[in-house]
Amino acid sequence: MLGGVVAVTVVSAVLGGTQVPVPSLEDGGGTVGIPFRRDLPLLSAVFLATLWSGPMAAHEQLGSYAFHRARVQLLAGGVLMAACLSLAAETLAVDAAAGLVFVRSLLTWFGLAQLSTALFGPRLTWVLPLASAFPIVWFTGSFWDWTDAAAPDLGFWALAAGSVALGSASLAWTPWRRYASRHRSPEPG
């Protein structure tokens, strides 16, 4: 999966400026061209979110505290590596602002991918990120398009932080934690 993130970063740096014709609902329909790099963070986010579940996902839920801590560290390290690599590549290919927008998009879609993993399972990590991409593509440049907004836009950075927080909380709320919260013994007097 980390190899996929590296590949996406390289593709974005090399071919990111290529205009991809996509259908648009603005101005009576037709197609518009959007730079390829605006949608590539979605792929990296989904690749990273799949690190949460391995081939034995049901057994991994029963893992020890140390196992879960190591899994969280792997995921956090993967996200940090992807953010640094993407920022560096986009800064070299375009400029620092493009790198920051790429990282913000990566974080936003990563949170949605985590939420999708928690809601639909590890094989459907892509559902919510892809569903969120359609309005962005169809209404290019709209007020909710975090892939096109200026790099210092604090509202979209807050959206990215909220997305990661919600996604992380949804993965942390495991079946055994739900069970434990329902069956806690009352505190003594």
Side-chain angles (χ1 to χ4, degrees):
M1 294 304 136
L2 295 176
V5 170
V6 170
V8 167
T9 303
V10 170
V11 167
S12 180
V14 174
L15 300 173
T18 304
Q19 296 286 322
V20 178
V22 294
S24 175
L25 296 177
E26 291 182 343
D27 300 328
T31 60
V32 297
I34 61 168
F36 196 36
R37 75 175 24 96
R38 285 183 47 201
D39 295 323
L40 286 172
L42 187 148
L43 291 174
S44 290
V46 170
F47 286 149
L48 288 166
T50 59
L51 288 173
W52 184 254
S53 301
M56 298 176 57
H59 297 290
E60 290 171 359
Q61 289 183 0
L62 303 173
S64 68
Y65 177 75
F67 172 78
H68 291 294
R69 187 178 58 238
R71 190 165 65 163
V72 166
Q73 289 171 347
L74 171 69
L75 196 58
V79 171
L80 181 62
M81 184 220 46
C84 292
L85 185 62
S86 299
L87 180 62
E90 291 298 306
T91 299
L92 291 173
V94 184
D95 59 19
L100 290 171
V101 170
F102 194 99
V103 169
R104 182 181 64 207
S105 296
L106 170 74
L107 294 174
T108 304
W109 272 319
F110 174 69
L112 289 174
Q114 287 181 302
L115 182 59
S116 189
T117 299
L119 293 175
F120 307 120
R123 294 197 172 144
L124 297 175
T125 299
W126 54 269
V127 171
L128 291 178
L130 189 60
S132 71
F134 286 119
I136 290 173
V137 169
W138 285 334
F139 298 104
T140 304
S142 56
F143 68 92
W144 61 69
D145 187 355
W146 63 79
T147 67
D148 193 38
D153 189 319
L154 293 179
F156 285 119
W157 282 105
L159 176 68
S163 177
V164 170
L166 179 63
S168 298
S170 68
L171 287 180
W173 191 241
T174 59
W176 61 270
R177 282 203 174 120
R178 289 191 292 269
Y179 178 83
S181 71
R182 288 191 308 265
H183 296 90
R184 286 217 168 117
S185 59
E187 296 288 325

